[in-house]
Amino acid sequence: MTETSPAVAAPVFRVRDRLQPDLARDCVRLEIAEGTEGLRTMSLHLVATDSAATGPPHRMRHLDGREVDLGSGIQVSLGPDDRQRHVFDGTVSAVEAEFRDGSAPVVILYAEDRLMRLRMTRRMRTYRDTTDEQIARDIARAHGLEADVAAAGETYDVVQQFNQSDLAFLRERARLVRAELWCTGGTLHFRTRDQREGTKVVAVQGNHLLSARIGADLAHQRSSVTVTGYDADTQRVIDERAGPEVLDAEISGGRTGARLVRDALACDAAAYRVREAALTTAEARSYARAEMLRRGRRFVTMSGVLRGNADVVVGGRLELSDVGAPFDGGGYYVTHVRHTFDQVAGFRTGVQAERATVNEVA
């Protein structure tokens, strides 16, 4: 378990595997973001002249390609020296120069991790007798990446990628089985939530947790999800249902939205999925379970800002303290992280997390 602490140290940059202290010196804002659908992004704002006065273009720093250029590999670390963490490894994909009246020119670098290659590759392809795990392996191999997959699912007769980027297609497959997608170094990961490891961070409101908004919302909760279809082999209608028991297997206490919605609203809050036409009973069962998990896991949502902590990662867990009886405690799963650094606030970590339950209140 990791506890957060104030972190004021400037970021550390490496370009083409070489330390670049000038980037840290001129950094006025850094932002690194990632969610459960993958593709970690970075934007870096750099002062481009020696003084506040604007100068001729040839005097501007960071635009001559010697330190960094389009296509350069860039790595970023954040945190104090004793707890510094590697938070970004990607490729510079865009460069901008910004000029404002009365302000020094700024150079802005944008970068994305290696999933950028998947985003930029569009295909029409048919997969036969395959699983989502195998599809992820095939796409990883096509981009020179290692594959780390753990998303048990059914074998499909036919899966079609119809004029989609590899990233969009893989995100769609992940959504159907509630898998998550991310990249570390040269490895593409495609894993369900129960197969994803992450750090645990304790955040106390008013100390580590600087601001937060937490809520439980029944609007999108459902007591069951049904997926239908038609099995041509058996010539039978497919009708598979997933109920609150799907979420019960993931929790150790508290009240789920799936069980509360029927009692609180006095109605049969059932959902039917008709866009995914299941071809087998096993497919329908998998899709129904995944949709029930998607809704139920988001019963309680949290967004907030912590004192900078590079240990907070997508897939990690949060334990919140002093945030109110229904919401106190652990079980929060981090779905989105945004690390920022600037000259005013220093290092801050924006976080979004979700939980399937509210606590029992006496």
Side-chain angles (χ1 to χ4, degrees):
M1 182 172 66
T2 304
E3 293 206 4
T4 59
S5 61
V8 296
V12 176
F13 298 93
R14 289 183 178 274
V15 179
R16 307 184 189 99
D17 294 324
R18 295 183 61 183
L19 193 65
Q20 293 291 347
D22 288 353
L23 298 184
R25 178 198 64 200
D26 293 341
C27 173
V28 292
R29 180 167 177 80
L30 169 70
E31 184 173 301
I32 295 168
E34 182 185 17
T36 53
E37 289 188 330
L39 190 62
R40 190 174 304 185
T41 61
M42 182 205 79
S43 64
L44 172 61
H45 295 235
L46 301 163
V47 174
T49 61
D50 291 323
S51 67
T54 59
H58 68 269
R59 289 182 53 193
M60 291 180 62
R61 294 195 294 265
H62 313 302
L63 286 179
D64 58 10
R66 289 183 297 179
E67 293 173 325
V68 62
D69 199 0
L70 289 168
S72 297
I74 185 167
Q75 297 85 38
V76 185
S77 299
L78 280 169
D81 291 342
D82 59 338
R83 289 178 47 213
Q84 196 173 87
R85 298 289 184 270
H86 186 80
V87 296
F88 184 81
D89 186 352
T91 302
V92 176
S93 57
V95 178
E96 291 181 356
E98 184 178 81
F99 304 88
R100 293 186 180 181
D101 187 23
S103 300
V106 172
V107 169
I108 308 171
L109 305 178
Y110 298 92
E112 299 173 321
D113 69 14
R114 293 186 71 173
L115 290 184
M116 175 175 62
R117 301 180 182 183
L118 278 67
R119 179 177 61 79
M120 300 180 71
T121 303
R122 187 174 293 270
R123 304 178 195 270
M124 298 183 68
R125 183 177 179 182
T126 299
Y127 296 85
R128 298 184 182 277
D129 298 321
T130 191
T131 64
D132 290 306
E133 287 186 342
Q134 188 57 52
I135 289 172
R137 290 191 186 97
D138 290 346
I139 291 177
R141 187 182 306 112
H143 292 276
L145 300 171
E146 297 294 324
D148 171 38
V149 297
E154 305 307 319
T155 299
Y156 308 105
D157 290 338
V158 176
V159 176
Q160 289 187 309
Q161 181 179 353
F162 186 74
N163 193 28
Q164 292 174 289
S165 72
D166 284 348
L167 181 59
F169 177 62
L170 203 52
R171 282 173 168 173
E172 179 183 278
R173 302 312 307 172
R175 177 182 60 82
L176 290 172
V177 296
R178 296 316 300 156
E180 297 178 0
L181 179 66
W182 74 101
C183 189
T184 55
T187 301
L188 182 149
H189 305 271
F190 185 91
R191 286 174 166 263
T192 51
R193 182 170 295 188
D194 59 311
Q195 298 293 326
R196 184 171 188 174
E197 297 181 357
T199 55
K200 179 180 178 182
V201 171
V202 177
V204 180
Q205 190 276 135
N207 185 359
H208 318 94
L209 184 60
L210 301 178
S211 63
R213 185 170 184 170
I214 312 168
D217 189 352
L218 290 173
H220 298 287
Q221 295 301 299
R222 296 294 181 266
S223 56
S224 66
V225 173
T226 299
V227 174
T228 60
Y230 184 76
D231 191 324
D233 290 336
T234 63
Q235 297 184 353
R236 292 181 179 178
V237 172
I238 296 169
D239 191 302
E240 287 296 314
R241 172 190 174 278
E245 67 280 355
V246 171
L247 287 160
D248 293 342
E250 291 194 343
I251 65 172
S252 58
R255 300 178 294 168
T256 64
R259 294 197 179 278
L260 277 171
V261 66
R262 180 177 295 176
D263 297 335
L265 302 183
C267 67
D268 183 17
Y272 294 86
R273 300 291 291 182
V274 296
R275 291 188 177 181
E276 289 86 31
L279 301 180
T280 67
T281 298
E283 280 184 33
R285 187 180 302 118
S286 177
Y287 293 167
R289 181 180 182 277
E291 176 63 8
M292 194 68 188
L293 288 174
R294 183 188 71 83
R295 290 178 178 271
R297 286 168 172 171
R298 288 191 56 77
F299 176 37
V300 177
T301 57
M302 173 269 185
S303 61
V305 177
L306 289 78
R307 298 185 188 276
N309 186 355
D311 288 331
V312 179
V313 297
V314 175
R317 275 68 174 175
L318 276 181
E319 180 179 329
L320 302 181
S321 181
D322 295 339
V323 294
F327 308 123
D328 264 343
Y332 288 90
Y333 186 87
V334 178
T335 59
H336 190 274
V337 171
R338 187 181 302 273
H339 295 299
T340 62
F341 177 88
D342 60 43
Q343 299 296 333
V344 177
F347 180 20
R348 293 287 184 266
T349 298
V351 62
Q352 295 178 20
E354 60 188 31
R355 191 172 79 170
T357 63
V358 291
N359 298 330
E360 299 281 356
V361 180

